[in-house]
Structures are given as structure tokens and as C-alpha cells.
């Protein structure tokens, strides 16, 4: 901004140059705001993997965007103020034309002002519309196969990145990878209730007994059998408590647990999600 101020103080502009500068300073923020609107209305936001509390994530995910808009507004206001202060009689008393060097300096300054903002906006929009789910990186880290659904129930989408459950909630010997799915962000912002489904998966020994494991996890409970196409023996178990749980083991010894608290998610929804895993 200091360089812009010095340039305006020491430069004589033609009317056409000033028109170009002022038009650019007005049009650029408008285009920028248009891109932000596109992001807010259509973006799919992948939340931080550190928490499944999605209620606070939309605001946090949009903070860089709001910050960028604020910076653009401040830039527009300051430069406009400097221009008006420099030439109050802008169009009635035109100064001399710009030299070639000054035109180059003006173009360079314009690029320095505009390009970083649009570059940042493009990066945010791209990462929001095409989020990095961290699937490949986590799979390499744990060293075993991971499954991902090819379809989701009730118009859901991925709501967190794939990440390792540091708390080891399933109490298994190997790391457990977790990911959550929910309804789109714009529906939650419109007041619709979340329908979170959590998918956990972990490598287990070849002699792992799922029935014994469930007996320890849910004593005095009798799980219901369910037919799962992706299970090693086509068999899974449903446990219904305050939440609904589906457990099964794949042919490559991956224990999969799918759970949901929302009453709008049925046990059949969990089975359908399990059948879509690839």
C-alpha cells in the first residue's frame, strides 16, 4: 500500500487512465464477491478431522473467505480514497498523459493488487468443490486396505476427512480409521437436522471372532444378523442401543463398524452403505 501511495503522489494520470484505474477497482471486488457467492452456495465443505462436532465447522471453514473479502474491501476503499484525494477535479481538469514507464508501473501494481486475491479465491474454491478426503494418505499411513462408499443414503456427502482415531474407540490392536458423512452444508445452514453416519475400519487378525468381540463390547445384548454383500461370509450384525451399529469383517480381514445416532437413519440405511463399500 505504501508503494501505491507513493505512485499516486508522484504520477500524473490522463482521464482515460484514471477511468481504467477506478473501473478496475470497482469491477475487481464485484467479480471477487461473485466468486465468493458461488463458493458459499455450491461448495462441499470437508470438515477438520480433529472433531466430529460439525456444528462449529461451517463458520470455521469460511473464515479464510471472509478474511479475503474484508481485505479486498479495505484495499478498494483505501486506493479510492487516495485517488479522490489526489485529483478532486479528476474529469474536469485532466492532467498530462502517462509515460510508457508509468503505464508499466501501473499495470504491475494492478497485477500485484488483483492477482493474489484471485489466486487465493481460486485455491479456496477448488479445495472446497473438490475436497481432499485424505483417503490415500491415511491408507499409506496405516498400511492396510481402506473402503469407501460408492453411494450414500438420503443425499448425504462426506463430512470429514479420513483420519486415524487416536482414542481407539473400538478397542482394537491396530489403528482405526474413521470418516463421517452428513447432509450437505447448505441444508444444515438452512436449519435441517444432521444425519451423521460414522464409518470405522481396522485391520484384525485372520482368527478374529466377531461374535466374541461383540459380546465384550455389548454384554447382555443379542445382535441381529444382517446380510452384507461385502462381508467375508455375507454376514454382519446390527446392534441397536441409543445409536444403531453395524459390524462385519471383510474378506481381507478389515473389521468395519458403521454407526448412526440420528433417528432418521435406519439400520437398513447402514446395510445399504455397507453394500456400497469398495
Amino acid at each position: 500500500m505504501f508503494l501505491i501511495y507513493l505512485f499516486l503522489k508522484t504520477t500524473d494520470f490522463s482521464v482515460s487512465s484514471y477511468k481504467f484505474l477506478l473501473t478496475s477497482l470497482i469491477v475487481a471486488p464485484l467479480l471477487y464477491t461473485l466468486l465468493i457467492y458461488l463458493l458459499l452456495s455450491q461448495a462441499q465443505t470437508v470438515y477438520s478431522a480433529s472433531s466430529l462436532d460439525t456444528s462449529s465447522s461451517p463458520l470455521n471453514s469460511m473464515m479464510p473467505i471472509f478474511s479475503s473479502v474484508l481485505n479486498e474491501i479495505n484495499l478498494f476503499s483505501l486506493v479510492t480514497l487516495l485517488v479522490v484525494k489526489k485529483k478532486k477535479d479528476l474529469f474536469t481538469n485532466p492532467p498530462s498523459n502517462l509515460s510508457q514507464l508509468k503505464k508499466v508501473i501501473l499495470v504491475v501494481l494492478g497485477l500485484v493488487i488483483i492477482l493474489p486475491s484471485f489466486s487465493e479465491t481460486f485455491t479456496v474454491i477448488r479445495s472446497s468443490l473438490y475436497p481432499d478426503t485424505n483417503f490415500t494418505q491415511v491408507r499409506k499411513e496405516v498400511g492396510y486396505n481402506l473402503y469407501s462408499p460408492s453411494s450414500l443414503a438420503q443425499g448425504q456427502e462426506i463430512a470429514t476427512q479420513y483420519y486415524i482415531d487416536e482414542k481407539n474407540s473400538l478397542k482394537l490392536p491396530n489403528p482405526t480409521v474413521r470418516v463421517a458423512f452428513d447432509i450437505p452444508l447448505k441444508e444444515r445452514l438452512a436449519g435441517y437436522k444432521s444425519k451423521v453416519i460414522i464409518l470405522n475400519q481396522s485391520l484384525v487378525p485372520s482368527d478374529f471372532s466377531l461374535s466374541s468381540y461383540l459380546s465384550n463390547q455389548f454384554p447382555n445384548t443379542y445382535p441381529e444378523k444382517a446380510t452384507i454383500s461385502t462381508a467375508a461370509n455375507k454376514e454382519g450384525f446390527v446392534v441397536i442401543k441409543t445409536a444403531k451399529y453395524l459390524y462385519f469383517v471383510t474378506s481381507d480381514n478389515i473389521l468395519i463398524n458403521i454407526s448412526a445416532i440420528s433417528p432418521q437413519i435406519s439400520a437398513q440405511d447402514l446395510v445399504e452403505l455397507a453394500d456400497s463399500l469398495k
Side-chain angles (χ1 to χ4, degrees), residues 59-124:
L59 179 59
N60 293 336
S61 64
M62 294 303 170
M63 284 305 295
I65 304 168
F66 295 145
S67 176
S68 298
V69 173
L70 184 59
N71 290 336
E72 188 73 13
I73 292 174
N74 289 337
L75 178 63
F76 167 72
S77 302
L78 182 56
V79 175
T80 302
L81 179 62
L82 290 173
V83 170
V84 172
K85 184 178 179 181
K86 170 71 177 176
K87 297 293 180 183
K88 292 182 180 179
D89 55 344
L90 176 62
F91 299 107
T92 58
N93 186 22
S96 59
N97 291 332
L98 284 172
S99 66
Q100 190 66 30
L101 177 60
K102 290 177 180 179
K103 288 181 181 179
V104 172
I105 295 176
L106 179 62
V107 171
V108 171
L109 285 175
L111 292 176
V112 169
I113 293 171
I114 296 173
L115 285 184
S117 296
F118 277 96
S119 176
E120 181 181 359
T121 303
F122 175 78
T123 301
V124 173

Side-chain angles (χ1 to χ4, degrees), residues 214 218 221-224 237-241 243-247:
L214 293 178
F218 304 99
T221 299
Y222 300 95
E224 301 177 7
F237 295 93
V238 175
V239 178
I240 301 178
K241 293 271 190 186
K244 304 175 187 71
Y245 305 92
L246 172 64
Y247 289 86

Side-chain angles (χ1 to χ4, degrees), residues 47-257:
Y47 300 127
S48 169
S50 61
S51 172
L52 290 178
D53 180 13
T54 58
S55 60
S56 62
S57 297
L59 179 59
N60 293 336
S61 64
M62 294 303 170
M63 284 305 295
I65 304 168
F66 295 145
S67 176
S68 298
V69 173
L70 184 59
N71 290 336
E72 188 73 13
I73 292 174
N74 289 337
L75 178 63
F76 167 72
S77 302
L78 182 56
V79 175
T80 302
L81 179 62
L82 290 173
V83 170
V84 172
K85 184 178 179 181
K86 170 71 177 176
K87 297 293 180 183
K88 292 182 180 179
D89 55 344
L90 176 62
F91 299 107
T92 58
N93 186 22
S96 59
N97 291 332
L98 284 172
S99 66
Q100 190 66 30
L101 177 60
K102 290 177 180 179
K103 288 181 181 179
V104 172
I105 295 176
L106 179 62
V107 171
V108 171
L109 285 175
L111 292 176
V112 169
I113 293 171
I114 296 173
L115 285 184
S117 296
F118 277 96
S119 176
E120 181 181 359
T121 303
F122 175 78
T123 301
V124 173
I125 291 176
R126 187 178 184 279
S127 62
S128 298
L129 294 176
Y130 306 100
D132 178 15
T133 62
N134 213 29
F135 180 85
T136 303
Q137 181 177 342
V138 171
R139 182 172 59 183
K140 289 180 179 179
E141 187 173 347
V142 296
Y144 55 78
N145 184 40
L146 293 179
Y147 288 83
S148 179
S150 57
S151 62
L152 292 167
Q154 302 188 29
Q156 291 182 313
E157 60 187 25
I158 187 168
T160 70
Q161 291 181 320
Y162 285 79
Y163 68 101
I164 298 175
D165 178 18
E166 301 293 345
K167 297 180 180 179
N168 192 18
S169 305
L170 297 186
K171 300 178 181 179
L172 294 167
N174 292 310
T176 299
V177 176
R178 172 173 291 186
V179 65
F181 308 96
D182 202 351
I183 59 175
L185 170 63
K186 59 184 178 181
E187 294 185 15
R188 291 194 295 276
L189 294 177
Y192 291 90
K193 291 184 178 180
S194 292
K195 303 175 184 177
V196 179
I197 294 179
I198 301 173
L199 168 64
N200 296 291
Q201 41 194 323
S202 179
L203 180 67
V204 294
S206 56
D207 59 351
F208 178 80
S209 173
L210 181 55
S211 57
S212 299
Y213 172 78
L214 293 178
S215 296
N216 293 329
Q217 289 287 93
F218 304 99
N220 304 319
T221 299
Y222 300 95
E224 301 177 7
K225 290 185 177 181
T227 302
I228 309 294
S229 61
T230 50
N233 54 2
K234 307 299 180 184
E235 185 178 79
F237 295 93
V238 175
V239 178
I240 301 178
K241 293 271 190 186
T242 53
K244 304 175 187 71
Y245 305 92
L246 172 64
Y247 289 86
F248 65 95
V249 179
T250 65
S251 58
D252 52 354
N253 299 321
I254 304 297
L255 171 63
I256 291 182
N257 159 242

